[in-house]
Amino acid sequence: MNHDKTAKEILSAVGGNDNINNVIHCVTRLRFTLKDMQAPNKEEIKQIDGVLTVVESGGQFQIVIGNEVPKVYDSLLKTMGRSPETTSSDNAVQGEKKGLFNRFVDVISGVFMPVVGVLSAVGILKGLLALFITLNWLTEEMSTYKILFAIADALFYFFPILLGFSAGKKFGGNPFISATIGAVLVYPTMTAAFTEGTAMSFLGIPVVLMNYTQSVIPIIIASYLAATFEKWLSKIAPSSIKMFFVPLVTLAIITPIVFLAVGPVSTLVSDYLAAGAMWIYKLSPIIAGLIMAGIWQAVIIFGLHWAFIPILINNLTTNGFDPINGMLFCTTFSLTGASLAIAIKTRDKRLKPIATSATIAGLMGVTEPAIYGVTLPAKKAFIMASIASGIAGALAGFMGSTAYGFAAGGVFGIPIFINPKGMDTGFIGFILSVLIAFVLGFILTYMFGYKNASPSASSKQEKVEQAQPSLVTSDSNGYAGVSAISPVQPVTEAQEEKTVFSPLTGKLIPLTEVGDEAFSSGAMGQGAAIVPTKGVAYAPFDGVVVTIFKTKHAIGLLSEDGVEILIHVGINTVSLKGKHFTSFVSDGDTVRKGDKLVEFDLEGITAAGLDTTTSVIVSNTAVYTDIQAKEQGSIVQGDALITVK
């Protein structure tokens, strides 16, 4: 994957920089908050190289990338000309209104996303320390243990500070102000006063002291109040003193409010949430595990799992343990087992490496490749994996499997389920649930969830496969590119030049003069551009139609000698939704040089206010050492246009 190219195509696809309020990323997804959620074309975005799928959920437009998402995110920020700070808040421009639940999911994902990686790391370390104590490798009196435990426990102890910083950024306030409020909540004097039962008041008003170490909800509410007050104060404060005046007044007013009202009330809410979760769990751990684990991966598909994160973390910070994640953790392994079954069983040479890599990613705790690249396309495989998850989750609930830390899925998260007091039946049940999920996911998928394609495939599909077809990538503006997925023979000096003939009649101009950067920059590949004088495009060589877009404005072709060509008629013509276009070929058709591909109404396109300049791109540019286009001037359909070596 070319991360810069993928980022440029995604940026254009979501409506450009001006349509983005903010963008963050998680383990596998780019999560956009857009001004106009209708601007992107999801089906075309799915074709961009590196994109697994697209999900709209929680008020976010989520593009699933997989393990490469951090690199694509970095390239996206560079392309956008923004820093992470300027993309992480919603204060710049308000997008379309979102429902209460969508706003909740958006806030939770934005607040917790930046700390999830570290949160998982220290959770795993805590689990490993419990294991080392059980095995008598360490004792609690050893200095080594104390240092490692401090590393594992510090984030939880000072959680209000880190969450304050993250929440401050999310709400568009000064993150250092909200982090300072978090620090005040866990300040030693205040913590000692609570421990010793010391009475305190503020301006004569009694303060109900609470233990805010490891707390979650109070600082999130406090950060929202601080950000809101800070924005208002910034508008009226004199610019000459704003730098120190705004933080001073915000801290002096909001912090006491937190101690007097927000903290006690939100801490009480936290306690009730934890008690409520435990009450539901205790009604029937088996049924809870069966239902929750059975639907959990479907919840992830819609990105709604972030709504559960506060509950899981609140259980840990309030009770010191969390049984819900004990039931859900096995779901990663059922999908991993299903992916392995398909990797072993499939005869599809393209699917086998995808399923294999998805299996490896699943063992590491990343399930999106297994979901979108392997099991969902097979449909029954996803159902089989969900059945395996439900059965394994029911067992975990029955055995009382419990998490004592927070971590993403996968083998590295296993230690968080070890009871600090020593291994118990809950951990044994957890291990059994993971093994059953993996084995049952494998067996059910292998036997019932996947069938190899029938040898009597359609003739068109056979033609495309025999010609080593490519995947076509596109964006919401209708730009498309062809990205090779089959092995390409190395180019040698003995190989002859290959010629691509002009599909159009008109005026030839350099590709650099096309009025859109996606083409003029060469990001889509090298080639030429034609301002057509006749509204007909013909086949530029003998080959196969890899794809013709449903809007008929773009056609991907593969020549008999391996040259991949994209003919893209006009700029932004995807917006016409096929109007003014008539196609004469379908996907998989064999064409000869000069066969009519598509007709288009030049006057109709121009009247719609669109540019008819047509780009002819060598999509597999990287394969060749030299690509030369004919010099600008008039050109007739059938003339030599591009030579490749």
Side-chain angles (χ1 to χ4, degrees), residues 22-36:
N22 72 296
V23 56
I24 55 178
H25 78 86
C26 57
V27 179
T28 57
R29 308 182 186 202
L30 293 173
R31 294 171 174 264
F32 291 89
T33 302
L34 303 176
K35 300 174 188 175
D36 181 6

Side-chain angles (χ1 to χ4, degrees), residues 391-525:
I391 294 172
L395 174 65
F398 174 73
M399 297 290 287
S401 301
T402 302
Y404 295 92
F406 182 87
V411 294
F412 294 113
I414 291 176
I416 70 170
F417 295 89
I418 301 174
N419 191 324
K421 298 179 181 179
M423 293 189 185
D424 53 14
T425 56
F427 182 70
I428 295 173
F430 165 75
I431 294 297
L432 288 175
S433 74
V434 167
L435 292 175
I436 288 174
F438 182 84
V439 173
L440 198 56
F442 177 91
I443 293 174
L444 290 177
T445 302
Y446 194 91
M447 295 180 65
F448 310 110
Y450 181 79
K451 290 183 179 180
N452 281 297
S454 170
S456 57
S458 69
S459 59
K460 285 187 178 182
Q461 182 63 28
E462 290 175 356
K463 288 178 183 178
V464 175
E465 291 178 354
Q466 291 167 1
Q468 295 183 337
S470 303
L471 293 176
V472 176
T473 63
S474 69
D475 60 34
S476 63
N477 290 318
Y479 307 138
V482 186
S483 172
I485 61 172
S486 54
V488 180
Q489 297 298 322
V491 180
T492 66
E493 293 183 3
Q495 289 178 311
E496 298 179 355
E497 288 186 349
K498 301 169 185 179
T499 301
V500 177
F501 298 92
S502 177
L504 300 162
T505 296
K507 180 183 178 183
L508 179 64
I509 63 174
L511 196 61
T512 54
E513 294 184 9
V514 175
D516 193 282
E517 188 178 354
F519 295 112
S520 61
S521 66
M524 308 297 293

Side-chain angles (χ1 to χ4, degrees), residues 49 52 70 73 94 162-163 215 261 285 373 423 457 516 532 541 560 566 572 584 624 626:
D49 183 29
L52 294 176
Y73 177 73
Q94 294 297 322
L162 279 79
L163 279 187
S215 62
M423 293 189 185
D516 193 282
F541 44 53
E560 291 180 344
L566 167 71
N572 291 324
F584 296 89
Y624 301 105
D626 187 42

Side-chain angles (χ1 to χ4, degrees), residues 285 288 296 425 447 474 534 587 592:
W296 185 245
T425 56
M447 295 180 65
S474 69
K534 295 182 179 180
D587 292 359
R592 314 303 296 179

Side-chain angles (χ1 to χ4, degrees), residues 284-300:
S284 177
I286 297 175
I287 295 176
L290 179 68
I291 295 175
M292 292 190 65
I295 67 172
W296 185 245
Q297 293 301 327
V299 170
I300 290 177

Side-chain angles (χ1 to χ4, degrees), residues 217-561:
I217 297 178
I219 187 58
I220 294 178
I221 297 175
S223 299
Y224 173 77
L225 293 176
T228 303
F229 183 77
E230 178 197 347
K231 293 173 191 175
W232 173 80
L233 194 59
S234 295
K235 294 178 181 178
I236 63 173
S239 57
S240 58
I241 61 172
K242 184 181 296 185
M243 183 180 71
F244 68 87
F245 180 77
V246 171
L248 171 64
V249 177
T250 301
L251 287 170
I253 292 178
I254 299 300
T255 306
I257 291 176
V258 173
F259 276 112
L260 291 169
V262 173
V265 172
S266 56
T267 300
L268 189 63
V269 171
S270 297
D271 293 339
Y272 278 124
L273 280 174
M278 291 302 299
W279 179 78
I280 294 172
Y281 168 75
K282 289 179 179 178
L283 283 178
S284 177
I286 297 175
I287 295 176
L290 179 68
I291 295 175
M292 292 190 65
I295 67 172
W296 185 245
Q297 293 301 327
V299 170
I300 290 177
I301 288 175
F302 293 101
L304 301 179
H305 53 298
W306 281 104
F308 292 84
I309 297 298
I311 297 175
L312 304 183
I313 295 178
N314 189 66
N315 285 342
L316 288 172
T317 57
T318 303
N319 301 323
F321 60 88
D322 171 45
I324 296 177
N325 206 15
M327 300 181 295
L328 300 179
F329 200 85
C330 63
T331 62
T332 297
F333 292 89
S334 63
L335 277 169
T336 304
S339 296
L340 179 61
I342 293 176
I344 293 174
K345 188 174 183 179
T346 185
R347 294 194 296 266
D348 189 331
K349 294 181 180 179
R350 292 170 294 178
L351 178 58
K352 187 176 287 290
I354 294 173
T356 301
S357 63
T359 301
I360 297 172
L363 291 173
M364 299 299 106
V366 179
T367 57
E368 272 85 352
I371 293 174
Y372 300 113
V374 183
T375 58
L376 265 186
K379 297 181 178 66
K380 287 184 179 179
F382 185 81
I383 296 174
M384 295 300 110
S386 296
I387 292 173
S389 294
I391 294 172
L395 174 65
F398 174 73
M399 297 290 287
S401 301
T402 302
Y404 295 92
F406 182 87
V411 294
F412 294 113
I414 291 176
I416 70 170
F417 295 89
I418 301 174
N419 191 324
K421 298 179 181 179
M423 293 189 185
D424 53 14
T425 56
F427 182 70
I428 295 173
F430 165 75
I431 294 297
L432 288 175
S433 74
V434 167
L435 292 175
I436 288 174
F438 182 84
V439 173
L440 198 56
F442 177 91
I443 293 174
L444 290 177
T445 302
Y446 194 91
M447 295 180 65
F448 310 110
Y450 181 79
K451 290 183 179 180
N452 281 297
S454 170
S456 57
S458 69
S459 59
K460 285 187 178 182
Q461 182 63 28
E462 290 175 356
K463 288 178 183 178
V464 175
E465 291 178 354
Q466 291 167 1
Q468 295 183 337
S470 303
L471 293 176
V472 176
T473 63
S474 69
D475 60 34
S476 63
N477 290 318
Y479 307 138
V482 186
S483 172
I485 61 172
S486 54
V488 180
Q489 297 298 322
V491 180
T492 66
E493 293 183 3
Q495 289 178 311
E496 298 179 355
E497 288 186 349
K498 301 169 185 179
T499 301
V500 177
F501 298 92
S502 177
L504 300 162
T505 296
K507 180 183 178 183
L508 179 64
I509 63 174
L511 196 61
T512 54
E513 294 184 9
V514 175
D516 193 282
E517 188 178 354
F519 295 112
S520 61
S521 66
M524 308 297 293
Q526 299 300 311
I530 300 171
V531 181
T533 54
K534 295 182 179 180
V536 187
Y538 299 88
F541 44 53
D542 297 344
V544 174
V545 177
V546 176
T547 188
I548 179 164
F549 278 69
K550 60 183 179 182
T551 50
K552 306 166 191 174
H553 72 288
I555 306 172
L557 302 163
L558 179 67
S559 75
E560 291 180 344
D561 49 11

